[in-house]
Amino acid sequence: MTNNTDIRPFRIEIPEADLADLRSRIERTRYTGELPGVGGDYGVSVEYVKNLVEYWKSGYDWRAAEAKLNEYPQFTTEIDGQNIHFLHVRSPEPDATPLILTHGWPTSVVEYLDVIGPLTDPRAHGGDPADAFHLVIPSLPGFAFSGPTSERGWNRYRTAKAWAELMHRLGYERYGVHGNDAGSLVSPEVGRFDPEHVLGVHVTQIFSFPSGDPSEMEGLSEADAGKLRFLQWFYENMGAYDKLQSQAPQTLAHALADSPVGQLAWSSQLFGDAVSRDYILTNVMIYWLTNTSASAARFYYEDSHATDTPTEPTTFPLGLANFADDFQSIRPFAERDHKNIVSWNTYDTGGHFAAHAVPDLLVGDIRRFFRGLR
């Protein structure tokens, strides 16, 4: 397939008719039934959803969120037949290090808005200008303003190749990589695919699991065994989104594409109370307004059905910032899969959406990691 390699300026301008349609649907929401007194035992509660919907109707301002996003330069380009949307925020420091940041599900580029200023302009935020970055923040293929995917195969590996092409197209010879959630799946593959250009990869989760070799389990510390028990609990009790989106994303998407409150409930199973209401609703709005619930969910399907996946350990410099109450990265498994872990930091606060919840901690960890790699 021939690509159009042009980089086109982009601006978010949602038609008022789309917002009016959304308001109408929200006003006519038919809420589900619920057993009395069960809280969140069966999933996201009606009370939680109703409280968010009331704020959605009376307190949330999409146009303010849209204006905030439009403060940053945005572009689209076509890579491997797929439209890719991205923010490209250059630092005022001419020697800044290029860095690509990848979000996950159920978020968007909104995930990184709170770290753009400190990362691009540390001088203005009490930091060392030598720690400055030029930022590239793309919407994953099939997510948000990248629009839906139109063919099979957009898994972490294909996305990683697209990111390498994007950085090359922007003229960056050497660059760093960071990711959270799905971004922590994609980012190491960028380093694997483009090692001659990648300075290092920084993530907030390292998804390494037991191989099945009993000797791996025998050597685990009690702390690591506890992490493994937590992961088992999470997948047995909180992993419905992963299982359904990996097996039947289209079945789910019919409901999400027709009900904004359905989209809200499905997304908020991971948001909970860890982030602000505006953060939740802006991400939900973006999925709704771009009608990408199906293609975003397909990322899980494509990833779980990927073939010819690389199995050799990575060798590029890898750094981890592991925040509290998040996926529990287990170092012995990580060191089996990644042979050059140069930074491993854990924090007793933060959570899964650290870039929003504790941006200063994440910024500090990213700065320290890349400081030794420039």
Side-chain angles (χ1 to χ4, degrees):
M1 181 179 294
T2 301
N3 284 342
N4 176 359
T5 61
D6 292 346
I7 295 174
R8 303 170 294 276
F10 179 83
R11 183 175 175 84
I12 303 168
E13 294 176 320
I14 300 300
E16 187 60 36
D18 291 359
L19 300 181
D21 174 73
L22 173 64
R23 287 191 292 269
S24 174
R25 289 171 183 265
I26 293 173
E27 291 290 347
R28 294 183 289 110
T29 298
R30 183 178 71 166
Y31 290 99
T32 186
E34 185 176 60
L35 291 174
V38 298
D41 290 352
Y42 289 76
V44 179
S45 71
V46 173
E47 179 184 14
Y48 178 88
V49 171
K50 281 186 173 180
N51 287 339
L52 273 175
V53 170
E54 286 306 309
Y55 178 69
W56 204 352
K57 292 192 291 187
S58 62
Y60 176 76
D61 184 351
W62 164 256
R63 291 303 186 195
E66 184 181 69
K68 176 65 175 176
L69 281 161
N70 282 332
E71 289 177 6
Y72 303 104
Q74 298 174 67
F75 304 88
T76 61
T77 192
E78 182 183 313
I79 300 176
D80 192 12
Q82 170 66 33
N83 183 66
I84 299 295
H85 161 263
F86 61 98
L87 277 60
H88 187 196
V89 188
R90 291 186 60 84
S91 171
E93 308 295 339
D95 296 328
T97 301
L99 177 65
I100 184 167
L101 308 173
T102 307
H103 68 85
W105 181 92
T107 57
S108 63
V109 296
V110 170
E111 181 166 341
Y112 291 113
L113 294 186
D114 295 329
V115 301
I116 290 176
L119 286 175
T120 58
D121 194 3
R123 188 192 301 269
H125 292 81
D128 184 344
D131 287 329
F133 296 92
H134 300 307
L135 296 183
V136 178
I137 312 175
S139 297
L140 283 164
F143 286 65
F145 301 106
S146 284
T149 47
S150 58
E151 59 184 14
R152 291 176 179 263
W154 277 102
N155 51 44
R156 75 180 82 172
Y157 311 102
R158 188 172 179 181
T159 301
K161 293 177 182 178
W163 279 190
E165 169 59 24
L166 176 60
M167 296 303 277
H168 170 75
R169 195 171 294 182
L170 293 172
Y172 292 132
E173 180 66 22
R174 296 280 285 166
Y175 61 94
V177 186
H178 166 80
N180 178 54
D181 191 78
S184 287
L185 296 175
V186 171
S187 296
E189 301 308 322
V190 180
R192 193 196 303 268
F193 177 73
D194 197 22
E196 64 272 26
H197 298 112
V198 170
L199 289 165
V201 175
H202 183 275
V203 293
T204 43
Q205 305 89 18
I206 297 178
F207 294 107
S208 293
F209 301 98
S211 66
D213 181 349
S215 66
E216 282 188 341
M217 308 303 293
E218 293 168 3
L220 280 186
S221 68
E222 180 52 38
D224 285 335
K227 292 180 179 181
L228 191 58
R229 288 192 294 271
F230 172 81
L231 292 177
Q232 185 69 30
W233 175 90
F234 182 88
Y235 283 111
E236 290 177 354
N237 294 275
M238 299 288 291
Y241 71 95
D242 184 285
K243 194 171 187 68
L244 184 52
Q245 293 186 158
S246 295
Q247 294 183 349
Q250 196 66 31
T251 302
L252 166 71
H254 294 294
L256 302 187
D258 192 54
S259 171
V261 175
Q263 178 71 68
L264 170 63
W266 186 249
S267 294
S268 63
Q269 65 183 295
L270 289 188
F271 287 133
D273 296 318
V275 294
S276 68
R277 294 179 298 180
D278 286 275
Y279 181 85
I280 294 171
L281 289 170
T282 297
N283 281 289
V284 169
M285 286 283 287
I286 288 173
Y287 281 64
W288 172 262
L289 293 169
T290 59
N291 195 16
T292 52
S293 59
S295 54
R298 280 199 296 271
F299 181 88
Y300 285 75
Y301 181 95
E302 303 294 358
D303 220 56
S304 67
H305 290 77
T307 58
D308 297 325
T309 58
T311 57
E312 71 279 4
T314 68
T315 57
F316 53 77
L318 178 65
L320 171 73
N322 205 174
F323 292 91
D325 304 318
D326 192 14
F327 177 92
Q328 300 294 294
S329 301
I330 300 175
R331 187 151 192 169
F333 302 152
E335 289 178 339
R336 178 199 64 213
D337 297 335
H338 305 281
K339 296 304 184 185
N340 193 14
I341 298 174
V342 299
S343 175
W344 184 288
N345 297 317
T346 59
Y347 297 90
D348 59 5
T349 187
H352 189 61
F353 304 102
H356 174 69
V358 286
D360 290 348
L361 286 181
L362 181 62
V363 166
D365 208 280
I366 290 173
R367 286 174 176 170
R368 286 190 296 274
F369 174 71
F370 284 104
R371 196 174 290 155
L373 300 176
R374 290 182 171 89

